[in-house]
Amino acid sequence: MTKQAIIDVIQKFAENSGKMYYQEFYIGITSDINERLFKGHKVDENNSAYIYKCADTEEIARDVEKHFLDKGMKGDTGGGTGNNDVKWVYCYVLAKNTEP
């Protein structure tokens, strides 16, 4: 997906979540959604609010991540360093069961 397409989808996800502030979300990038989102962050696959999309390039994934970090979402740059397949951008609502 393109940068703007992913930004639009994540923005709509945030707006429809019922949350009011960007800091109530976590944004990240990875090469392995299952490992990072569901195991690493402990997002409940069946009961948590989350979204993930595959970017066309790693550069796009990093740009989307930075876009939302600059708006106030939790997370950090540098994810997936050294891995050329870092194209997945994910976002989830922070909850008691999740690990930022």
Side-chain angles (χ1 to χ4, degrees):
M1 291 180 75
T2 66
K3 177 180 174 180
Q4 193 58 55
I6 297 173
I7 288 172
D8 292 346
V9 169
I10 292 175
Q11 184 65 45
K12 186 168 289 240
F13 165 75
E15 289 170 1
N16 292 334
S17 72
K19 301 296 180 185
M20 294 182 61
Y21 305 104
Y22 283 109
Q23 55 265 42
E24 296 178 274
F25 298 89
Y26 188 98
I27 186 84
I29 60 174
T30 186
S31 60
D32 187 335
I33 282 294
N34 289 326
E35 181 65 34
R36 189 71 184 128
L37 186 62
F38 303 120
K39 292 179 183 174
H41 290 294
K42 301 194 183 340
V43 171
D44 184 323
E45 195 168 355
N46 298 312
N47 297 308
S48 294
Y50 64 89
I51 188 170
Y52 56 88
K53 297 293 175 186
C54 188
D56 290 338
T57 67
E58 179 179 341
E59 181 181 4
I60 289 172
R62 292 189 186 284
D63 287 350
V64 171
E65 178 185 46
K66 184 175 182 331
H67 172 85
F68 286 105
L69 288 171
D70 290 348
K71 288 186 169 284
M73 284 189 180
K74 302 292 185 190
D76 200 359
T77 59
T81 302
N83 186 335
N84 294 331
D85 293 330
V86 179
K87 294 182 182 178
W88 290 100
V89 181
Y90 62 90
C91 179
Y92 64 90
V93 175
L94 291 164
K96 290 178 185 177
N97 64 300
T98 61
E99 303 256 345

